[in-house]
Each structure stands twice: as structure tokens, then as C-alpha cells.
Amino acid sequence: MKHLMTLADLTDTEIAHIFAITEDLKMKFAQGLREPLLPGRVIALLFEKPSLRTRVSFEAGIGHLGGTAMFLGADTGFGKRESLADFGRVLSQYVDALVVRAFRHTTVCELAEHAACSVINGLTDFGHPCQAMADLYTIRELVGKLKGSTLGWVGDANNVARSLALGCGKVGMDFVIASPKAYQWSEDEIAWIQQHAPNLNLTVTTDPVEAVSDAVAVYTDVWASMGQESEQQQRARDFAAYQVNAQLMARAQKGAVFMHCLPARRGEEVTDEVIDGSQSVVVQQAANRMHAQKGILAWMLGKTP
Ligand code: CP
Ligand code: NVA
């Protein structure tokens, strides 16, 4: 039984395999074909935090594959009525896979430990592997290759950044991250990333220009993630010099794309000019969430085209 807690759970060969399934299913989708690879399968989506992209792209993708998506919100009493272990043991008797969005990464790991079915991390404070898979797939579509290219991250060293760094290490991309000193990964966190992606060429800097100068893709995300709302004002001050604006994009390689996992706080981490500009691929990224997740599900549940 396979789980996807972080991209440490996937080898480079498995990522390539998932991308091949994704490409096939995306092409068929564009032709109006829906391949029922998961008939009769039921996948539960258990979310502690809000979501547009992750929830809807999973629900729609599962529908395309002939399966049933079951959204579970607060009314299950998740985390309140019974232990996580009991919750996971019981829920996994009914469904074939579980997608979980939780505040704490340990919540998803604990569910996976006790579940009798596959569990997929749909975002935690630690990582967002489905986002990173879709993003790497998007860069592969746009640039044609991943190996040897650089992803430049500007802003908070958060869940999405961590997943992309791991993913870059797996697919042979370099990862350069610029954050204020106080928000950079600790030595232990860097050691964890390098343990799981030993080939990663990682550069950590405080200089946004250094992060973008070799990048084929310039990426940013909100300065305060879900669960950090009380730090919003402090972070807005601390990250003020890390906005991705036209001046910063001008320092990137010619033809570099702008990426953001969304939702964005326009006027903070990115200007309207950049996110709405010709280099922005944020809508393609969001669209690829669905295609990449269909690839993950087909691979995980052993039903490939
Ligand atoms: N990027 C992303 O995961 O978006 P949602 O929070 O809307 O799911
Ligand atoms: N870093 C953001 C990503 C949202 C998709 C958060 O965790 O809120």
C-alpha cells in the first residue's frame, strides 16, 4: 500500500511514471475522453482548512476516472470525537484512498499509520506534495526539460517551498531560495531535505536577485500561510523586500515564467502586473493540479492506462 506524505515517498522513476500517466490523461481529457480507471472506487477528502484548488481538482479528477469523491468536513468530528487512530482505522474500511488537508503534518502521518488504505497529503504545515508534482509537471511542459534547470523561490521557506525543493532534488533541478534570515530553514530542516533528495543542488540566500538570476521559473507564495494569520502584519513588514514585481522579474532569465500556487495576496508577495502579466503561468499551474492528481491516483491505486 502506497502513501504520499511528502515527495520523499517517491523515487525519480516513480515521478517520471506519474508524469507519463498525467500526460496521457491530460491529452485524452483535451479530446473529451474520460478513461474510467477507478470504477467503483471511493476516495474521501478530509479537510481541516479551506481549499478551492485541491478539493475541487480532486473531486473533478476522481469523477473523470469513474470514481466517487466524498468530501468530509468538520461534521465528522475529526480530531474531536475519537482518537485519530480510531478515526483512520474505521474510515479506511469504507474508502479506497484518503486525501487529507490538516494543520499539523503529524495528523496526516498518524492517520496513514493506522489506515488500511492509501493516504495522500493534501497540504499540511510541512508540505504540499500534490502542488509540487503539478508545478514540476508544468515546468516540464513549458521548458521541455527539468534536469539542469533552476527554480528560484522568493519569500517564505514554507510548506510549498519545502515540497518543491525535495521535488527539484528528485528530478535534477537546482533550487535557489531567498528568504529573510529569520525565516530560512534551520540546519536540521536542510539536513532532512538533503537526506531525502541527496542530489539536490540547494542555494539558500537572503538576496531575491540571486534567487531569480538563473531561474527558468520564479516562484512565490503568501508570506503568512494558513494557521499563521496572527503573524500576518509582522510578516508583511519582514518580507517587504521580497515582493515579486516587474523590477525583480527583469533580473530573471529571458523567458522565465512566474509561478504561484494560489491563492495570492496581490500587492504583497506579488504585484498585479506580474501575476497578470505575460510571464505568469498561474492558471496553467492550477489546471495541472487536476491532471497531476489523476496521475497520482491512477499510479497509487494501480490502475494505469
Ligand atoms: N494551491 C492550493 O492548494 O490551493 P487551495 O488551498 O485552494 O487548495
Ligand atoms: N503556503 C500556503 C499554501 C496554500 C495553498 C498555505 O499553507 O496556506
Side-chain angles (χ1 to χ4, degrees), residues 50-55 101 128 131 226 261-263 289:
S51 171
L52 169 66
R53 282 143 287 268
T54 308
R55 174 185 174 172
R101 170 166 289 198
H128 198 1
Q131 179 73 52
M226 289 181 278
C261 56
L262 303 180
R289 293 292 307 278

Side-chain angles (χ1 to χ4, degrees), residues 1-4 95-99 115-120 300-301:
M1 189 172 59
K2 298 169 179 135
H3 297 304
L4 181 57
V95 301
D96 297 285
L98 186 53
V99 180
C117 70
S118 289
V119 179
I120 297 173
M300 186 169 260
L301 299 179

Side-chain angles (χ1 to χ4, degrees), residues 128-257:
H128 198 1
C130 297
Q131 179 73 52
M133 286 294 284
D135 295 339
L136 293 173
Y137 183 80
T138 304
I139 298 170
R140 179 180 174 268
E141 272 184 336
L142 291 165
V143 179
K145 72 177 178 87
L146 294 172
K147 213 174 174 50
S149 302
T150 299
L151 178 56
W153 179 280
V154 179
D156 191 22
N158 66 12
N159 44 5
V160 176
R162 197 175 286 107
S163 296
L164 281 167
L166 261 182
C168 283
K170 300 267 177 180
V171 302
M173 281 187 80
D174 297 346
F175 189 80
V176 186
I177 178 166
S179 318
K181 200 84 192 157
Y183 294 89
Q184 291 179 352
W185 289 319
S186 65
E187 280 178 20
D188 283 354
E189 285 177 299
I190 291 177
W192 185 89
I193 293 168
Q194 282 173 333
Q195 178 194 341
H196 294 287
N199 298 328
L200 175 65
N201 185 7
L202 172 69
T203 304
V204 177
T205 175
T206 53
D207 179 7
V209 174
E210 186 181 350
V212 306
S213 53
D214 288 330
V216 296
V218 174
Y219 205 124
T220 192
D221 185 13
V222 290
W223 293 333
S225 286
M226 289 181 278
Q228 297 174 328
E229 288 79 5
S230 64
E231 299 172 32
Q232 176 68 44
Q233 288 184 351
Q234 181 65 49
R235 283 171 171 264
R237 287 192 290 274
D238 294 344
F239 283 94
Y242 291 80
Q243 183 184 67
V244 179
N245 50 34
Q247 289 106 292
L248 188 62
M249 284 304 289
R251 307 295 293 269
Q253 283 196 1
K254 195 169 175 297
V257 296

Side-chain angles (χ1 to χ4, degrees), residues 275-286:
I275 199 168
D276 296 330
S278 60
Q279 287 163 287
S280 175
V281 296
V282 298
V283 175
Q284 184 173 339
Q285 268 181 273

Side-chain angles (χ1 to χ4, degrees), residues 82-95 114-116:
E82 54 198 311
S83 73
L84 278 179
D86 286 347
F87 193 99
R89 280 188 201 109
V90 172
L91 177 59
S92 61
Q93 301 302 309
Y94 309 135
V95 301
H114 297 284

